[in-house]
Amino acid sequence: MNVPAKIAHTLPPLLLHARFPLSGVPRKGFVRIPERSRRPGSKMAWSLDKCENKLDVIREATEAHAPEAIGALKSGKVIAVPTDTIYGFACDACSAEAVNRIYEIKGRKHTSPLAICVGDVSDIERFAVTNHLPHGLLESLLPGPVTVILRRGESSILDKSLNPGLDSIGVRVPDCNFIRVIARGAGSALALTSANLSGQPSSVCIKDFESLWEHCAYVYDGGVLPSGRAGSTIVDLTKLACYKILRPGSAEEETVAILERHSLIEEKSKA
């Protein structure tokens, strides 16, 4: 390639280092890049690898990815999932090792109980006592943004290592198709808790808990959840004909209306 000398000075400086000579311009050759700046072990390469590894765990929260999630749960892994309120960490509730892993990820005290999630309202009686409740109550509350506290009872198939010392269990059936599909497929209850460090704000998008992705087998992205960070409404239904709101959550008004429509009376806190 020959370029007249009178226009060579108008070319970008980078061209002056071309392999081919320019007419009237001294040959400069390549600028040698020091080998150390290109080593795979450089800081830049390490940062890119870490970023790629983190992104490897991200999946869309669609039914197409449900078999993979179910496999991870059955293998005792922890996954992150969207619900109808906030993002949560989930694992097999009957795997003591997986449950312990959730506590470690969150930095949560083992004295703080975990709730469980099941795929359908009809599954609840496998894990908790429901025969004292008015007919149709659970079906009116769930699926939805409500956690019902029930007695475990002797017939519960839950492992005794889950919330040891407690005779009650919080149960969720989220109004979220993805988590219900994987709960059905897992064939067990899922231990479920918010996807965040203990004491920190709840997560409404996966970016909110990015620092914890590396501890999960998979992180399922359901986009930004619209319900805010309040979480589910928690209601104690362990006593006959009574209810007690333990956490207002995102659906207190609707929950109370349903409870009172089924003739339950609010249990007043003791002074």
Side-chain angles (χ1 to χ4, degrees):
M1 176 179 178
N2 294 319
V3 180
K6 66 181 180 179
I7 66 169
H9 72 279
T10 66
L11 295 174
L14 183 60
L15 290 184
L16 297 182
H17 298 286
R19 300 187 77 164
F20 41 77
L22 301 179
S23 177
V25 180
R27 178 169 178 164
K28 301 294 183 180
F30 282 113
V31 176
R32 186 172 181 81
I33 299 174
E35 193 67 27
R36 68 181 181 216
S37 68
R38 294 182 291 168
R39 287 188 314 207
S42 68
K43 184 176 181 180
M44 179 178 291
W46 179 86
S47 297
L48 289 173
D49 288 344
K50 186 176 181 182
C51 181
E52 289 173 359
N53 290 340
K54 286 174 68 175
L55 294 177
D56 281 347
V57 305
I58 306 299
R59 302 285 189 275
E60 288 186 24
T62 61
E63 283 195 50
H65 291 120
E68 182 181 59
I70 293 166
L73 292 168
K74 289 184 174 181
S75 298
K77 304 293 178 58
V78 174
I79 63 175
V81 292
T83 71
D84 53 355
T85 53
I86 56 180
Y87 277 83
F89 291 135
C91 73
D92 182 352
C94 293
S95 169
E97 184 178 348
V99 168
N100 188 60
R101 183 70 178 138
I102 281 186
Y103 279 103
E104 291 177 351
I105 293 171
K106 287 179 62 71
R108 183 184 176 107
K109 294 180 180 179
H110 282 72
T111 52
S112 298
L114 297 180
I116 63 169
C117 166
V118 296
D120 296 285
V121 175
S122 58
D123 295 325
I124 297 177
E125 62 184 20
R126 298 170 57 203
F127 306 99
V129 177
T130 62
N131 56 13
H132 65 296
L133 298 174
H135 178 72
L137 173 61
L138 291 178
E139 289 80 3
S140 297
L141 291 170
L142 305 168
V146 180
T147 300
V148 293
I149 307 296
L150 298 166
R151 288 182 292 110
R152 288 166 72 142
E154 293 301 321
S155 61
S156 174
I157 66 173
L158 286 174
D159 194 282
K160 300 296 183 183
S161 64
L162 180 68
N163 305 337
L166 291 180
D167 62 359
S168 61
I169 187 72
V171 185
R172 288 219 62 200
V173 185
D175 189 11
C176 174
N177 187 58
F178 181 72
I179 192 172
R180 293 181 67 193
V181 167
I182 62 176
R184 292 184 192 115
S188 176
L190 307 182
L192 182 66
T193 185
S194 57
N196 59 343
L197 288 173
S198 186
Q200 296 299 308
S202 301
S203 301
V204 295
C205 67
I206 63 170
K207 189 75 173 175
D208 286 345
F209 59 99
E210 183 177 2
S211 63
L212 303 177
W213 291 357
E214 61 186 296
H215 303 296
C216 300
Y218 300 105
V219 174
Y220 292 96
D221 188 358
V224 178
L225 305 181
S227 63
R229 302 181 191 274
S232 63
T233 296
I234 302 178
V235 56
D236 186 340
L237 296 177
T238 56
K239 295 183 180 179
L240 180 66
C242 293
Y243 75 89
K244 185 176 183 179
I245 300 295
L246 303 182
R247 183 176 74 186
S250 59
E252 180 183 20
E253 186 176 340
E254 300 92 325
T255 299
V256 169
I258 292 170
L259 295 168
E260 295 185 348
R261 190 160 64 242
H262 284 81
S263 303
L264 269 65
I265 300 172
E266 183 178 10
E267 180 186 354
K268 301 298 182 182
S269 299
K270 294 180 181 179

